[in-house]
Each structure stands twice: as structure tokens, then as C-alpha cells.
Amino acid sequence: MIVATAGHVDHGKTSLIKALTGIDTDRLEEEKRRGMSIDLGFAYADFGGDASIGFVDVPGHEKFVRNMLAGVAAIDFALLIVAADDGPMPQTLEHLAILDLLGVSHGAVALTKIDRVPQERIAQAKLEIAALLAQTTLRNASVFPVAATTGEGVDALREYLAAAHRALGQRPANGNFRMAADRCFSLAGTGLVVTGAVFSGMVQIDDQVVISPHGTSARVRGIHAMNQLTEMAGAGQRCALNLAGADLKRIDIVRGDWIVAPPAHAPTARIDVQVRVCASESRPLRHWMPVHLHIGAASLNARIAPMEGRAIAPGASGLAQLVLDAPVGAVRGDRFILRDQSARRTIAGGMVLDPFGPARGRSKPDRLVQLAAMAQPVPANALAALLNAEPAGVNLDRFDRVWNLTPHEAQALRQTQSLKTVVTSEGVLGIALHHWTALCDRISGILRDWHAEHPESLGLTEPALAAKLESRMNPETWRTAIRSLIERQIVARDGLNLHMPEHRATLSETDQAFLEKISGALQVAGIRPPIVGELAKMLDVELPVLIPFLERAGSSGHLVRVAKNRFFLPETVTELTQIAVLLASESMDGTFDAAQFRDRSGIGRNLTIEVLEFFDRAGVTRFGGGRRSMAAPDSYWTGNS
């Protein structure tokens, strides 16, 4: 358990920690000279539990609230300190507001310096504290009158902390490892040491970690957890990591950086959040208002963009996007504090819903629906809500990063959902089964309607079908649906045309005879069909007669118009597609160039360019960097034709 003090300057926070643990947390010479905490101090004590309790002693002066915020980001328990003689003071109020905004609900109040006041003042101070806590997350906190100088009440507080430690238990080490760095220094004979609070996951000696947002890799050489040498550290502990790495000399690790497992390294500069404005504020949070953001142990400048209007009123909550001046590490559920532009007062706080906010469309209705789903308290419920709201599917890889799920956790979560997974170039998509069934039914329905309206047509090409779907769905999704329909023999493919298995194109006797004549000539030509003018001569047909028929035959799928003046048989296009598939499968990176296709097919350079450009337009191949890859997996083109 990690306990953090909070309270006004000179109310006895450091003295009380020393009375509880025997450790003076004022480690800086200036702190000892001034008799005032300036930076974070740390102490550890064994109160008889299974593990030590870690104490973070924070400075109480208003000038050092930034340091205080770095110490309370990942605590389990708050120890609010109020001096009996002074009662609640300005920093008592601000520190309590910070704890409330961070959602800290486990805590106690130490009413210090009771040896300096009469009993009636102690009773009065208790009433003041009760009134102060009434509307906060610490409303149920017990009050312990203590005197650090005499030891009065210290044992009772110590026993209460031990009981709270037992009740809270060990924090689950879920998620990928994330530690918010608050100190970094070098020790002779040891090397680089970084200390901080572990937010999630576990780390072991020899693990590879990343210093984020720098992106620098390092190896864990040694671990101290809760001031004990150990082989492993996890969530809910303060630890010190001895790091080694060739690139560490190139960066400066500072307070606010993160030490994370490689999958958790995903810096972001746009964070979508649920934010609550302090009721004490006189003005609302307005669009593009500059603020100081405190998240983890980091402090940086940001702008706020409310999503449900142009402002969020004092005492109200709302959705907003934080646009940061620099990238930072964050995951769903991280708590944060906002202070005003001059960093003089706390104005708001809240929780991260999506650390990877979009640059555009942040206030659109569908985005607000997504964020409402992400506000669900557990990932299973959030994923279920997203799947239901997103017919086009949910990027499961992105969801895993947002929630900081390990591969094992992600796999277990997916097994709780009724979904269909589709592998795409952007990651694995999850589609709710009812949306998947609706997509498959929609494809079949489009084809049936097309056959009824165009009985002479063989079917629809994929681009034509995709246009009728009228969806922004990832092409790999509807292609997977098509493949599923083909495998189940609900839909058939003839060349590049898709149709219902029972459909037979009906042509007039005259058109059928003419088509057979043209097809015979194209069959003789093989994979190098003649241009239209040459075909007209071969058939002894006038161009004004041939061209309109070829165009009708091309639009109905009986022929394939590869270039302006060249038509292919559907089976010839299929044969050439197989050549492209073969070349892609033989390549290490799944690509091929025009010269390779020309040599393998033997159709010559000019015709190769025409064919490959047609493949690009038809969605068979994808062109980039002078090379082509298959727009869908090789098996898609070879599974059924």
C-alpha cells in the first residue's frame, strides 16, 4: 500500500511520518535549513502486514503543488494532515480538492498538534473537518487526534493504517508494466537508477523496458521494491529500477517520464477525457483555454476543447479533448489534474477515456457514443458497448492499447464477446455477430436485387458491390464477408464477378450468338487478346457495331474491359490474377514489380502495364513504391473462382 500525506504547510506532515516510521523524509539540505518540505520524501515501514507500507510525504506550500501532484498520482491511501490550532487552511482545501478529483476514497485524517490546544478546540476542529470532507470522496475518513512530539495517538493511527493495509490487500498486477518516474540519479558502482510508483503490471530482472515518450530501450539490472532488494516489482509498489542500455546516455530521464513494457509505449498528444470542474471556480472551462495538465508524475501545458458545447460550468462534468504541447504516456483510467494557466490554483480534474483522441470529428455524435462506451468501468462492458455501437467493427489492437491489456488479458476478453474477428492492415477488427450477419445478408440482398434488375448481367464486381454497400467499412471486412459467403456457397465468383449460385445470365439469341463468336476469337488469342480494331477485322465486323456490344458485354460481366480498347474473357483475367498471386507469394515482402509480371506472363511490357493498372482499379492489387501487393490475402483470390 502506498500512503501519501496531504495538507497545509507547517501542519506537521513530515513530523508525523517520522513518528510513524522513524524516518525523516526531508532529504534535501535546503529542506532541513528551512524546516519545510520542498520535494517529495519517502519512507517505508512494516506495521505487521505481508508487505511494507510506503509513505510519500508531499510539500504543503502552494509554490510546490506541482511536486505534491507528482507524489499522489498512484496512491492507495491518503493521510490528510490538519493542525488542531490552525484548522483547515488554503492548502488543506486545495490538497483535498486534488484528492477528490483523483478519486481517492481510502484515507484518514490526522489532527496534529493536539498538545498545543485545549480539548474544546479539538472537538471544534473535528466538526470543521467533517464539514470539509462531507462532499468529497473522503467523506467517510476517520479522524485521529495525534501529537507527533509526545507520541499521543500515533499508535492508534499506526494500527489503523495496518488494518487498512490488510483490508485493501495487494493491488492486482494487471496490464503491461507502467511506472511513473519521479527521480533519476546515478550511484557509484551501480549506474542509472530510476524511482517511481508502479501503476500497473509486473517487472522482473532482465526484462526489457522502454523509457517513454523517448522510445529508448533499456534492460532492468536490479530492482528495489518498497525499499527491499527483490527480483520482481508490481502494481501498488514504489520501486527503484537499476537500468542499463547503450542508448541511455543519449537522453535525460526526467520526472514525468514513464518506464514501461514495450507494448505500453504509445505516446500521445491528444487525450479524450471526462473532466469535472471545481465548484469553487468562478468561470467555466472554455474552448481552447490554456491549462496545466498533471498526469502520472508529469506536468505540461495543454489546451482544452469541450465536446458537448463550448464550455463546462463550475461544478459540472463533461467530455473534452486535451491537446498537449508535448507527447505523454496515458491509458484509459489514468486520473489527472488541471490547474490554471499561471499554475496558481487547481481548477478541474478527471479521468482519461481514450488516450488517442482524433484530430478531427471529436464532437461528432458517433464519437460521443464511443466515449460513452469507453466510460464503462470494466473493459468487457466497454468492448460490448463499442461492438454494439460500431457496425463497421472495433479495432481490437487499439482497444488493447487504450486499456493497457496484455496479450493474455486481451485474448481472454475477446472470448467473453460474441464477435467475428477480421485481420486488416490496420489491426484486428472485432465485429459483433449481429452486425456481421447483417453485413452478409446485405451483400446477398444486393446481389439478388441486381439480378432481378439486370438479368443479362453475370453479377457485380467487388468495387461495384462496395459502392452499393454505402459503408465506410474497411475493405478487408467486406472482402472477408464475401469469402465467408463463397465458402458457404451462398455466393459464387465468376472471374471478377460475384453472383448468387442459382443465377444464370439471360441474353437474347442474337446477343448470345455474337458473344460466343467474340469469345471464340478471344480464346484463340489466349492471354494476349487483340485490341478492338484488330478484333473487328478478325470477326469481319464494323467497329460501330462491335464497340457498343463490347461495352454492353463488359458492363454485364460477360467480358472484362481491361483498357479503353481491349477486352478480356473473365477466365483470362482469372488466369492473370493467379500469376499476380503466385509472384506475391514467392516474394519475401509479398510484392512484385511490372517486369516480373511481364516475364512470368509473357504478354509484353505495354499490355502488362494495362493489366496491372486495371488490377489496381479493380481492387485486385495495391500499388506503392514502384511495386504491387495483393489488396487481399493470396488465399482470397485462390479460394474460389
PDB file of all heavy atoms in Angstrom, residues 14 23-33 36-43 55-57 59 67 70 182-185 195 238 255:
ATOM      1  N   THR A  14       5.640  15.960   7.876  1.00  0.00           N
ATOM      2  CA  THR A  14       6.929  15.268   7.971  1.00  0.00           C
ATOM      3  C   THR A  14       7.176  14.744   9.377  1.00  0.00           C
ATOM      4  O   THR A  14       7.668  13.621   9.566  1.00  0.00           O
ATOM      5  CB  THR A  14       8.063  16.217   7.542  1.00  0.00           C
ATOM      6  OG1 THR A  14       7.795  16.680   6.215  1.00  0.00           O
ATOM      7  CG2 THR A  14       9.403  15.510   7.570  1.00  0.00           C
ATOM      8  N   ILE A  23      11.542   7.600  10.221  1.00  0.00           N
ATOM      9  CA  ILE A  23      12.341   8.107   9.096  1.00  0.00           C
ATOM     10  C   ILE A  23      12.021   9.573   8.848  1.00  0.00           C
ATOM     11  O   ILE A  23      10.846   9.965   8.789  1.00  0.00           O
ATOM     12  CB  ILE A  23      12.058   7.289   7.817  1.00  0.00           C
ATOM     13  CG1 ILE A  23      12.472   5.827   8.030  1.00  0.00           C
ATOM     14  CG2 ILE A  23      12.776   7.883   6.605  1.00  0.00           C
ATOM     15  CD1 ILE A  23      12.054   4.906   6.902  1.00  0.00           C
ATOM     16  N   ASP A  24      13.064  10.371   8.714  1.00  0.00           N
ATOM     17  CA  ASP A  24      12.912  11.781   8.354  1.00  0.00           C
ATOM     18  C   ASP A  24      12.912  11.871   6.830  1.00  0.00           C
ATOM     19  O   ASP A  24      13.924  11.575   6.181  1.00  0.00           O
ATOM     20  CB  ASP A  24      14.062  12.602   8.943  1.00  0.00           C
ATOM     21  CG  ASP A  24      13.924  14.094   8.654  1.00  0.00           C
ATOM     22  OD1 ASP A  24      12.943  14.486   7.987  1.00  0.00           O
ATOM     23  OD2 ASP A  24      14.810  14.858   9.090  1.00  0.00           O
ATOM     24  N   THR A  25      11.786  12.272   6.246  1.00  0.00           N
ATOM     25  CA  THR A  25      11.667  12.280   4.778  1.00  0.00           C
ATOM     26  C   THR A  25      12.235  13.541   4.142  1.00  0.00           C
ATOM     27  O   THR A  25      12.283  13.635   2.913  1.00  0.00           O
ATOM     28  CB  THR A  25      10.196  12.125   4.358  1.00  0.00           C
ATOM     29  OG1 THR A  25       9.429  13.173   4.962  1.00  0.00           O
ATOM     30  CG2 THR A  25       9.649  10.776   4.795  1.00  0.00           C
ATOM     31  N   ASP A  26      12.616  14.522   4.957  1.00  0.00           N
ATOM     32  CA  ASP A  26      13.264  15.710   4.395  1.00  0.00           C
ATOM     33  C   ASP A  26      14.716  15.366   4.114  1.00  0.00           C
ATOM     34  O   ASP A  26      15.561  15.348   5.031  1.00  0.00           O
ATOM     35  CB  ASP A  26      13.177  16.893   5.369  1.00  0.00           C
ATOM     36  CG  ASP A  26      11.832  17.590   5.310  1.00  0.00           C
ATOM     37  OD1 ASP A  26      11.065  17.304   4.373  1.00  0.00           O
ATOM     38  OD2 ASP A  26      11.542  18.407   6.214  1.00  0.00           O
ATOM     39  N   ARG A  27      15.012  15.066   2.835  1.00  0.00           N
ATOM     40  CA  ARG A  27      16.346  14.591   2.470  1.00  0.00           C
ATOM     41  C   ARG A  27      17.233  15.708   1.927  1.00  0.00           C
ATOM     42  O   ARG A  27      18.456  15.565   1.866  1.00  0.00           O
ATOM     43  CB  ARG A  27      16.229  13.483   1.417  1.00  0.00           C
ATOM     44  CG  ARG A  27      15.451  13.879   0.200  1.00  0.00           C
ATOM     45  CD  ARG A  27      15.156  12.720  -0.758  1.00  0.00           C
ATOM     46  NE  ARG A  27      14.237  13.106  -1.809  1.00  0.00           N
ATOM     47  CZ  ARG A  27      14.583  13.778  -2.895  1.00  0.00           C
ATOM     48  NH1 ARG A  27      15.846  14.121  -3.079  1.00  0.00           N
ATOM     49  NH2 ARG A  27      13.688  14.110  -3.802  1.00  0.00           N
ATOM     50  N   LEU A  28      16.632  16.847   1.500  1.00  0.00           N
ATOM     51  CA  LEU A  28      17.414  17.926   0.905  1.00  0.00           C
ATOM     52  C   LEU A  28      17.955  18.855   1.991  1.00  0.00           C
ATOM     53  O   LEU A  28      17.282  19.128   2.999  1.00  0.00           O
ATOM     54  CB  LEU A  28      16.553  18.733  -0.071  1.00  0.00           C
ATOM     55  CG  LEU A  28      15.930  17.950  -1.241  1.00  0.00           C
ATOM     56  CD1 LEU A  28      15.070  18.879  -2.097  1.00  0.00           C
ATOM     57  CD2 LEU A  28      17.019  17.301  -2.087  1.00  0.00           C
ATOM     58  N   GLU A  29      19.158  19.355   1.771  1.00  0.00           N
ATOM     59  CA  GLU A  29      19.780  20.261   2.743  1.00  0.00           C
ATOM     60  C   GLU A  29      18.945  21.523   2.920  1.00  0.00           C
ATOM     61  O   GLU A  29      18.787  22.034   4.035  1.00  0.00           O
ATOM     62  CB  GLU A  29      21.192  20.619   2.261  1.00  0.00           C
ATOM     63  CG  GLU A  29      22.000  21.395   3.292  1.00  0.00           C
ATOM     64  CD  GLU A  29      23.437  21.596   2.845  1.00  0.00           C
ATOM     65  OE1 GLU A  29      24.010  20.665   2.237  1.00  0.00           O
ATOM     66  OE2 GLU A  29      23.974  22.682   3.106  1.00  0.00           O
ATOM     67  N   GLU A  30      18.361  22.000   1.817  1.00  0.00           N
ATOM     68  CA  GLU A  30      17.543  23.209   1.899  1.00  0.00           C
ATOM     69  C   GLU A  30      16.284  22.956   2.732  1.00  0.00           C
ATOM     70  O   GLU A  30      15.830  23.844   3.463  1.00  0.00           O
ATOM     71  CB  GLU A  30      17.143  23.671   0.490  1.00  0.00           C
ATOM     72  CG  GLU A  30      16.374  24.986   0.489  1.00  0.00           C
ATOM     73  CD  GLU A  30      16.012  25.442  -0.918  1.00  0.00           C
ATOM     74  OE1 GLU A  30      16.426  24.776  -1.893  1.00  0.00           O
ATOM     75  OE2 GLU A  30      15.313  26.466  -1.034  1.00  0.00           O
ATOM     76  N   GLU A  31      15.727  21.742   2.641  1.00  0.00           N
ATOM     77  CA  GLU A  31      14.547  21.415   3.432  1.00  0.00           C
ATOM     78  C   GLU A  31      14.869  21.455   4.921  1.00  0.00           C
ATOM     79  O   GLU A  31      14.089  21.964   5.739  1.00  0.00           O
ATOM     80  CB  GLU A  31      14.012  20.036   3.041  1.00  0.00           C
ATOM     81  CG  GLU A  31      13.400  19.996   1.648  1.00  0.00           C
ATOM     82  CD  GLU A  31      12.964  18.597   1.253  1.00  0.00           C
ATOM     83  OE1 GLU A  31      13.727  17.641   1.530  1.00  0.00           O
ATOM     84  OE2 GLU A  31      11.880  18.449   0.658  1.00  0.00           O
ATOM     85  N   LYS A  32      16.018  20.925   5.278  1.00  0.00           N
ATOM     86  CA  LYS A  32      16.407  20.912   6.692  1.00  0.00           C
ATOM     87  C   LYS A  32      16.705  22.323   7.188  1.00  0.00           C
ATOM     88  O   LYS A  32      16.400  22.676   8.335  1.00  0.00           O
ATOM     89  CB  LYS A  32      17.619  19.995   6.882  1.00  0.00           C
ATOM     90  CG  LYS A  32      17.325  18.528   6.541  1.00  0.00           C
ATOM     91  CD  LYS A  32      18.509  17.644   6.825  1.00  0.00           C
ATOM     92  CE  LYS A  32      18.241  16.199   6.443  1.00  0.00           C
ATOM     93  NZ  LYS A  32      17.113  15.627   7.198  1.00  0.00           N
ATOM     94  N   ARG A  33      17.289  23.140   6.316  1.00  0.00           N
ATOM     95  CA  ARG A  33      17.626  24.505   6.703  1.00  0.00           C
ATOM     96  C   ARG A  33      16.373  25.355   6.896  1.00  0.00           C
ATOM     97  O   ARG A  33      16.271  26.138   7.844  1.00  0.00           O
ATOM     98  CB  ARG A  33      18.520  25.143   5.643  1.00  0.00           C
ATOM     99  CG  ARG A  33      19.040  26.524   6.044  1.00  0.00           C
ATOM    100  CD  ARG A  33      20.002  27.096   5.014  1.00  0.00           C
ATOM    101  NE  ARG A  33      19.347  27.391   3.750  1.00  0.00           N
ATOM    102  CZ  ARG A  33      19.511  26.688   2.633  1.00  0.00           C
ATOM    103  NH1 ARG A  33      20.325  25.625   2.636  1.00  0.00           N
ATOM    104  NH2 ARG A  33      18.889  27.013   1.524  1.00  0.00           N
ATOM    105  N   MET A  36      11.053  23.013   6.064  1.00  0.00           N
ATOM    106  CA  MET A  36       9.854  22.909   5.231  1.00  0.00           C
ATOM    107  C   MET A  36      10.129  21.962   4.070  1.00  0.00           C
ATOM    108  O   MET A  36      11.184  22.036   3.437  1.00  0.00           O
ATOM    109  CB  MET A  36       9.480  24.293   4.680  1.00  0.00           C
ATOM    110  CG  MET A  36       8.259  24.309   3.786  1.00  0.00           C
ATOM    111  SD  MET A  36       7.876  25.985   3.203  1.00  0.00           S
ATOM    112  CE  MET A  36       9.260  26.288   2.095  1.00  0.00           C
ATOM    113  N   SER A  37       9.203  21.061   3.811  1.00  0.00           N
ATOM    114  CA  SER A  37       9.370  20.137   2.680  1.00  0.00           C
ATOM    115  C   SER A  37       9.219  20.897   1.369  1.00  0.00           C
ATOM    116  O   SER A  37       8.306  21.712   1.193  1.00  0.00           O
ATOM    117  CB  SER A  37       8.322  19.018   2.746  1.00  0.00           C
ATOM    118  OG  SER A  37       8.515  18.226   3.899  1.00  0.00           O
ATOM    119  N   ILE A  38      10.133  20.604   0.449  1.00  0.00           N
ATOM    120  CA  ILE A  38      10.116  21.238  -0.867  1.00  0.00           C
ATOM    121  C   ILE A  38       9.786  20.216  -1.946  1.00  0.00           C
ATOM    122  O   ILE A  38       9.008  20.481  -2.861  1.00  0.00           O
ATOM    123  CB  ILE A  38      11.482  21.900  -1.161  1.00  0.00           C
ATOM    124  CG1 ILE A  38      11.729  23.034  -0.176  1.00  0.00           C
ATOM    125  CG2 ILE A  38      11.551  22.380  -2.592  1.00  0.00           C
ATOM    126  CD1 ILE A  38      13.121  23.619  -0.273  1.00  0.00           C
ATOM    127  N   ASP A  39      10.383  19.046  -1.811  1.00  0.00           N
ATOM    128  CA  ASP A  39      10.160  17.994  -2.806  1.00  0.00           C
ATOM    129  C   ASP A  39       9.579  16.769  -2.101  1.00  0.00           C
ATOM    130  O   ASP A  39       9.402  16.743  -0.889  1.00  0.00           O
ATOM    131  CB  ASP A  39      11.472  17.644  -3.504  1.00  0.00           C
ATOM    132  CG  ASP A  39      11.248  17.015  -4.879  1.00  0.00           C
ATOM    133  OD1 ASP A  39      10.084  16.719  -5.217  1.00  0.00           O
ATOM    134  OD2 ASP A  39      12.247  16.804  -5.593  1.00  0.00           O
ATOM    135  N   LEU A  40       9.317  15.741  -2.880  1.00  0.00           N
ATOM    136  CA  LEU A  40       8.760  14.511  -2.341  1.00  0.00           C
ATOM    137  C   LEU A  40       9.758  13.823  -1.423  1.00  0.00           C
ATOM    138  O   LEU A  40      10.954  13.788  -1.701  1.00  0.00           O
ATOM    139  CB  LEU A  40       8.390  13.559  -3.484  1.00  0.00           C
ATOM    140  CG  LEU A  40       7.397  14.075  -4.519  1.00  0.00           C
ATOM    141  CD1 LEU A  40       7.215  13.048  -5.625  1.00  0.00           C
ATOM    142  CD2 LEU A  40       6.066  14.407  -3.873  1.00  0.00           C
ATOM    143  N   GLY A  41       9.230  13.283  -0.319  1.00  0.00           N
ATOM    144  CA  GLY A  41      10.046  12.475   0.574  1.00  0.00           C
ATOM    145  C   GLY A  41       9.420  11.092   0.709  1.00  0.00           C
ATOM    146  O   GLY A  41       8.206  10.927   0.530  1.00  0.00           O
ATOM    147  N   PHE A  42      10.250  10.090   1.029  1.00  0.00           N
ATOM    148  CA  PHE A  42       9.756   8.716   1.025  1.00  0.00           C
ATOM    149  C   PHE A  42      10.198   7.986   2.288  1.00  0.00           C
ATOM    150  O   PHE A  42      11.312   8.171   2.782  1.00  0.00           O
ATOM    151  CB  PHE A  42      10.273   7.965  -0.208  1.00  0.00           C
ATOM    152  CG  PHE A  42       9.995   8.694  -1.493  1.00  0.00           C
ATOM    153  CD1 PHE A  42      10.996   9.453  -2.110  1.00  0.00           C
ATOM    154  CD2 PHE A  42       8.737   8.658  -2.071  1.00  0.00           C
ATOM    155  CE1 PHE A  42      10.742  10.137  -3.283  1.00  0.00           C
ATOM    156  CE2 PHE A  42       8.473   9.341  -3.243  1.00  0.00           C
ATOM    157  CZ  PHE A  42       9.479  10.091  -3.860  1.00  0.00           C
ATOM    158  N   ALA A  43       9.293   7.160   2.786  1.00  0.00           N
ATOM    159  CA  ALA A  43       9.596   6.326   3.951  1.00  0.00           C
ATOM    160  C   ALA A  43       8.855   5.011   3.803  1.00  0.00           C
ATOM    161  O   ALA A  43       7.818   4.936   3.126  1.00  0.00           O
ATOM    162  CB  ALA A  43       9.178   7.028   5.239  1.00  0.00           C
ATOM    163  N   PHE A  55       5.317   5.359   2.297  1.00  0.00           N
ATOM    164  CA  PHE A  55       4.780   6.686   2.566  1.00  0.00           C
ATOM    165  C   PHE A  55       5.421   7.692   1.616  1.00  0.00           C
ATOM    166  O   PHE A  55       6.644   7.690   1.431  1.00  0.00           O
ATOM    167  CB  PHE A  55       5.067   7.105   4.010  1.00  0.00           C
ATOM    168  CG  PHE A  55       4.274   6.335   5.032  1.00  0.00           C
ATOM    169  CD1 PHE A  55       4.743   5.120   5.519  1.00  0.00           C
ATOM    170  CD2 PHE A  55       3.062   6.818   5.493  1.00  0.00           C
ATOM    171  CE1 PHE A  55       4.020   4.402   6.458  1.00  0.00           C
ATOM    172  CE2 PHE A  55       2.329   6.107   6.436  1.00  0.00           C
ATOM    173  CZ  PHE A  55       2.799   4.894   6.917  1.00  0.00           C
ATOM    174  N   VAL A  56       4.593   8.525   1.027  1.00  0.00           N
ATOM    175  CA  VAL A  56       5.067   9.631   0.203  1.00  0.00           C
ATOM    176  C   VAL A  56       4.706  10.913   0.935  1.00  0.00           C
ATOM    177  O   VAL A  56       3.515  11.226   1.109  1.00  0.00           O
ATOM    178  CB  VAL A  56       4.422   9.628  -1.197  1.00  0.00           C
ATOM    179  CG1 VAL A  56       4.983  10.768  -2.039  1.00  0.00           C
ATOM    180  CG2 VAL A  56       4.645   8.299  -1.891  1.00  0.00           C
ATOM    181  N   ASP A  57       5.702  11.626   1.380  1.00  0.00           N
ATOM    182  CA  ASP A  57       5.481  12.880   2.097  1.00  0.00           C
ATOM    183  C   ASP A  57       5.565  14.016   1.091  1.00  0.00           C
ATOM    184  O   ASP A  57       6.594  14.195   0.427  1.00  0.00           O
ATOM    185  CB  ASP A  57       6.532  13.040   3.197  1.00  0.00           C
ATOM    186  CG  ASP A  57       6.276  14.273   4.057  1.00  0.00           C
ATOM    187  OD1 ASP A  57       5.100  14.685   4.144  1.00  0.00           O
ATOM    188  OD2 ASP A  57       7.240  14.806   4.627  1.00  0.00           O
ATOM    189  N   PRO A  59       5.158  18.136  -0.220  1.00  0.00           N
ATOM    190  CA  PRO A  59       5.273  19.504   0.296  1.00  0.00           C
ATOM    191  C   PRO A  59       3.905  20.152   0.405  1.00  0.00           C
ATOM    192  O   PRO A  59       3.011  19.904  -0.405  1.00  0.00           O
ATOM    193  CB  PRO A  59       6.153  20.204  -0.741  1.00  0.00           C
ATOM    194  CG  PRO A  59       5.976  19.407  -1.989  1.00  0.00           C
ATOM    195  CD  PRO A  59       5.752  18.001  -1.560  1.00  0.00           C
ATOM    196  N   ASN A  67       5.028  19.565  -7.209  1.00  0.00           N
ATOM    197  CA  ASN A  67       5.719  18.407  -6.633  1.00  0.00           C
ATOM    198  C   ASN A  67       4.742  17.512  -5.886  1.00  0.00           C
ATOM    199  O   ASN A  67       4.850  16.281  -5.916  1.00  0.00           O
ATOM    200  CB  ASN A  67       6.832  18.875  -5.693  1.00  0.00           C
ATOM    201  CG  ASN A  67       7.966  19.560  -6.449  1.00  0.00           C
ATOM    202  OD1 ASN A  67       8.074  19.429  -7.663  1.00  0.00           O
ATOM    203  ND2 ASN A  67       8.796  20.296  -5.726  1.00  0.00           N
ATOM    204  N   ALA A  70       2.920  15.217  -8.243  1.00  0.00           N
ATOM    205  CA  ALA A  70       3.739  14.104  -8.742  1.00  0.00           C
ATOM    206  C   ALA A  70       3.753  12.944  -7.757  1.00  0.00           C
ATOM    207  O   ALA A  70       4.017  11.804  -8.139  1.00  0.00           O
ATOM    208  CB  ALA A  70       5.166  14.582  -9.007  1.00  0.00           C
ATOM    209  N   ASP A 182       9.703   9.517 -10.926  1.00  0.00           N
ATOM    210  CA  ASP A 182       9.724  10.790 -10.203  1.00  0.00           C
ATOM    211  C   ASP A 182      11.135  11.205  -9.788  1.00  0.00           C
ATOM    212  O   ASP A 182      11.353  12.341  -9.391  1.00  0.00           O
ATOM    213  CB  ASP A 182       8.789  10.764  -8.984  1.00  0.00           C
ATOM    214  CG  ASP A 182       8.995   9.549  -8.086  1.00  0.00           C
ATOM    215  OD1 ASP A 182      10.152   9.176  -7.850  1.00  0.00           O
ATOM    216  OD2 ASP A 182       7.993   8.970  -7.633  1.00  0.00           O
ATOM    217  N   ARG A 183      12.103  10.279  -9.867  1.00  0.00           N
ATOM    218  CA  ARG A 183      13.503  10.637  -9.599  1.00  0.00           C
ATOM    219  C   ARG A 183      14.409   9.799 -10.490  1.00  0.00           C
ATOM    220  O   ARG A 183      14.088   8.657 -10.826  1.00  0.00           O
ATOM    221  CB  ARG A 183      13.880  10.388  -8.147  1.00  0.00           C
ATOM    222  CG  ARG A 183      13.391  11.418  -7.163  1.00  0.00           C
ATOM    223  CD  ARG A 183      14.150  11.311  -5.840  1.00  0.00           C
ATOM    224  NE  ARG A 183      13.994  10.012  -5.202  1.00  0.00           N
ATOM    225  CZ  ARG A 183      14.797   9.535  -4.260  1.00  0.00           C
ATOM    226  NH1 ARG A 183      15.855  10.235  -3.870  1.00  0.00           N
ATOM    227  NH2 ARG A 183      14.567   8.360  -3.707  1.00  0.00           N
ATOM    228  N   CYS A 184      15.548  10.373 -10.856  1.00  0.00           N
ATOM    229  CA  CYS A 184      16.552   9.652 -11.640  1.00  0.00           C
ATOM    230  C   CYS A 184      17.929  10.128 -11.184  1.00  0.00           C
ATOM    231  O   CYS A 184      18.172  11.338 -11.069  1.00  0.00           O
ATOM    232  CB  CYS A 184      16.358   9.928 -13.129  1.00  0.00           C
ATOM    233  SG  CYS A 184      17.556   9.087 -14.193  1.00  0.00           S
ATOM    234  N   PHE A 185      18.803   9.179 -10.887  1.00  0.00           N
ATOM    235  CA  PHE A 185      20.136   9.547 -10.405  1.00  0.00           C
ATOM    236  C   PHE A 185      21.098   8.391 -10.690  1.00  0.00           C
ATOM    237  O   PHE A 185      20.687   7.280 -11.045  1.00  0.00           O
ATOM    238  CB  PHE A 185      20.118   9.869  -8.907  1.00  0.00           C
ATOM    239  CG  PHE A 185      19.442   8.807  -8.074  1.00  0.00           C
ATOM    240  CD1 PHE A 185      20.151   7.733  -7.554  1.00  0.00           C
ATOM    241  CD2 PHE A 185      18.081   8.886  -7.805  1.00  0.00           C
ATOM    242  CE1 PHE A 185      19.530   6.757  -6.788  1.00  0.00           C
ATOM    243  CE2 PHE A 185      17.448   7.915  -7.035  1.00  0.00           C
ATOM    244  CZ  PHE A 185      18.172   6.847  -6.526  1.00  0.00           C
ATOM    245  N   THR A 195      13.389   5.923  -9.957  1.00  0.00           N
ATOM    246  CA  THR A 195      12.399   5.539  -8.952  1.00  0.00           C
ATOM    247  C   THR A 195      11.026   6.050  -9.356  1.00  0.00           C
ATOM    248  O   THR A 195      10.897   7.024 -10.111  1.00  0.00           O
ATOM    249  CB  THR A 195      12.743   6.102  -7.564  1.00  0.00           C
ATOM    250  OG1 THR A 195      12.507   7.514  -7.562  1.00  0.00           O
ATOM    251  CG2 THR A 195      14.184   5.819  -7.205  1.00  0.00           C
ATOM    252  N   ARG A 238       6.095   1.190  -4.678  1.00  0.00           N
ATOM    253  CA  ARG A 238       7.123   2.119  -5.142  1.00  0.00           C
ATOM    254  C   ARG A 238       8.383   1.305  -5.367  1.00  0.00           C
ATOM    255  O   ARG A 238       8.708   0.411  -4.567  1.00  0.00           O
ATOM    256  CB  ARG A 238       7.388   3.209  -4.101  1.00  0.00           C
ATOM    257  CG  ARG A 238       6.323   4.291  -4.061  1.00  0.00           C
ATOM    258  CD  ARG A 238       6.859   5.519  -3.340  1.00  0.00           C
ATOM    259  NE  ARG A 238       8.128   5.984  -3.914  1.00  0.00           N
ATOM    260  CZ  ARG A 238       8.237   6.734  -5.013  1.00  0.00           C
ATOM    261  NH1 ARG A 238       7.152   7.119  -5.665  1.00  0.00           N
ATOM    262  NH2 ARG A 238       9.420   7.104  -5.463  1.00  0.00           N
ATOM    263  N   ARG A 255      11.456  13.668 -14.300  1.00  0.00           N
ATOM    264  CA  ARG A 255      10.171  13.429 -13.649  1.00  0.00           C
ATOM    265  C   ARG A 255       9.052  13.628 -14.684  1.00  0.00           C
ATOM    266  O   ARG A 255       9.004  14.640 -15.388  1.00  0.00           O
ATOM    267  CB  ARG A 255       9.987  14.386 -12.478  1.00  0.00           C
ATOM    268  CG  ARG A 255       8.622  14.276 -11.806  1.00  0.00           C
ATOM    269  CD  ARG A 255       8.560  15.135 -10.557  1.00  0.00           C
ATOM    270  NE  ARG A 255       9.417  14.595  -9.505  1.00  0.00           N
ATOM    271  CZ  ARG A 255       9.606  15.181  -8.325  1.00  0.00           C
ATOM    272  NH1 ARG A 255       9.007  16.344  -8.062  1.00  0.00           N
ATOM    273  NH2 ARG A 255      10.392  14.633  -7.420  1.00  0.00           N
TER     274      ARG A 255
END
